[in-house]
Amino acid sequence: MTVNRFLAAPWASVHGPTDPRRLWLWTLDAGFAGLAAGPGPRLVDWSAWRAAASDLPVRVPIVRADSTLTEDSATAGLASARDGELAAARSAIADAVRTGQRLGTEWIVLEPGRVAVLGEVEAHDLGDPHAAWTREKAQPLLARRKAVVLGALDRVCRALYGVCKSFPDNKFALSPGRSLLTVADRAGLAAIFEDLRHLPLFYWHDAAVSARRQQVLDEEPGEALEDFSNRFAGCGLGDAGPDGMYGPPGAGGVDYGLLGSYVHRTSRVLPVVLDLDPTVDPAELPGIRSCLDKYGL
């Protein structure tokens, strides 16, 4: 097996025991190697979590600087021309770095910014089941994004350069965005990796986001997996469809066979993180494990 399977802490903090020690044991009993940290619906004392796991065979593979569960990204301001928004994004990354130091991981996952377009935006979240997205409906907003994306990319590259220099002991994995205004479509990520090719920047594949971008925008997940294979740091596992994102694997449109084939090309042991919406019932876990086992994930 070339993966270590982890559970996203935001979901676990909602459904698992409130006592940190019992939560780690519950995680192990559920078949996971540890928890991936990140913002969620409940505040977490990460130092207490770390202390409770001191003698247990668990680890934290990554810390997310932004939440997967909302359209509002804490790191959206990396692409902003406004100093306050950029400072807020850098602060979110610094918080994630400090959390990683408490939990013993150098890996930080983040979405690298959102494009600010002229005029009001009625909707932009591909995970919104009420938006009824189609490619045709998305095109006007994508055209507005295209008009200003080059400036946003330049600001993101300068911001990420500063982040990497400020935190030289960390590695940063960039994740595609659920927003139509994300900088991090495949072309945007390719431009960032090319411009900052000598920095410790990597690719984090979000299966749910990638599937949703395929369903609405015809972006093929395999193209990003192929293009960024030399930077592949791991992936988030959750499913997606018109009714929402981060459902149980096997319940949506993610091609887990395709994802498994790319994961198993690497000789390294990659972290994969089960990232679920809090509404997913823990009773789903046995079926989820069977689905992931089928594809070696």
Side-chain angles (χ1 to χ4, degrees):
M1 188 174 187
T2 59
V3 301
N4 276 336
R5 190 185 298 166
F6 297 87
L7 189 59
W11 185 86
S13 69
V14 171
H15 294 285
T18 55
D19 175 75
R21 174 81 177 182
R22 291 177 57 213
L23 178 62
W24 285 114
L25 293 172
W26 178 81
T27 300
L28 287 171
D29 289 342
F32 297 91
L35 294 166
R42 291 186 179 175
L43 292 177
V44 171
D45 183 344
W46 299 113
S47 296
W49 279 33
R50 176 66 171 176
S54 60
D55 62 340
L56 295 176
V58 294
R59 69 183 183 93
V60 175
I62 64 159
V63 176
R64 280 207 71 110
D66 50 3
S67 173
T68 61
L69 303 177
T70 174
E71 64 184 83
D72 297 319
S73 170
T75 54
L78 289 176
S80 179
R82 298 180 178 180
D83 291 343
E85 293 177 353
L86 174 58
R90 288 181 59 91
S91 177
I93 294 170
D95 287 345
V97 168
R98 285 190 289 270
T99 298
Q101 291 169 344
R102 295 187 190 102
L103 296 173
T105 183
E106 62 188 355
W107 284 93
I108 308 299
V109 176
L110 58 101
E111 178 195 345
R114 302 270 176 90
V115 177
V117 296
L118 297 175
E120 293 190 11
V121 177
E122 183 176 335
H124 62 95
D125 179 21
L126 289 169
D128 182 359
H130 304 294
W133 289 111
T134 63
R135 186 173 179 83
E136 291 70 27
K137 182 176 179 179
Q139 282 309 305
L141 187 55
L142 290 175
R144 291 164 65 188
R145 173 192 178 276
K146 184 177 180 181
V148 292
V149 70
L150 291 181
L153 273 168
D154 181 64
R155 290 188 290 273
V156 165
C157 288
R158 283 189 275 116
L160 288 174
Y161 179 87
V163 166
C164 290
K165 294 303 179 182
S166 296
F167 305 108
D169 296 329
N170 287 91
K171 297 176 181 177
F172 298 93
L174 308 184
S175 172
R178 62 188 288 166
S179 170
L180 288 170
L181 297 176
T182 187
V183 169
D185 62 357
R186 185 171 63 86
L189 287 170
I192 293 169
F193 289 141
E194 173 60 24
D195 190 67
L196 303 176
R197 54 189 173 277
H198 300 304
L199 295 181
L201 295 173
F202 300 85
Y203 174 62
W204 183 265
H205 185 79
D206 187 313
V209 168
S210 297
R212 198 72 191 111
R213 296 187 70 84
Q214 179 186 34
Q215 291 158 6
V216 177
L217 306 175
D218 296 327
E219 293 181 6
E220 292 295 332
E223 293 181 356
L225 288 164
E226 185 71 36
D227 290 352
F228 310 136
S229 59
N230 62 329
R231 295 180 179 269
F232 194 13
C235 55
L237 306 176
D239 229 312
D243 56 345
M245 293 172 60
Y246 300 107
V254 173
D255 186 343
Y256 282 99
L258 174 72
L259 180 55
S261 71
Y262 278 93
V263 167
H264 289 282
R265 288 184 184 184
T266 179
S267 58
R268 294 174 290 114
V269 178
L270 293 176
V272 298
V273 176
L274 180 61
D275 204 353
L276 300 173
D277 187 271
T279 59
V280 176
D281 195 290
E284 300 271 10
L285 284 179
I288 290 171
R289 285 197 301 268
S290 295
C291 175
L292 298 180
D293 286 345
K294 178 180 178 181
Y295 299 110
L297 295 168

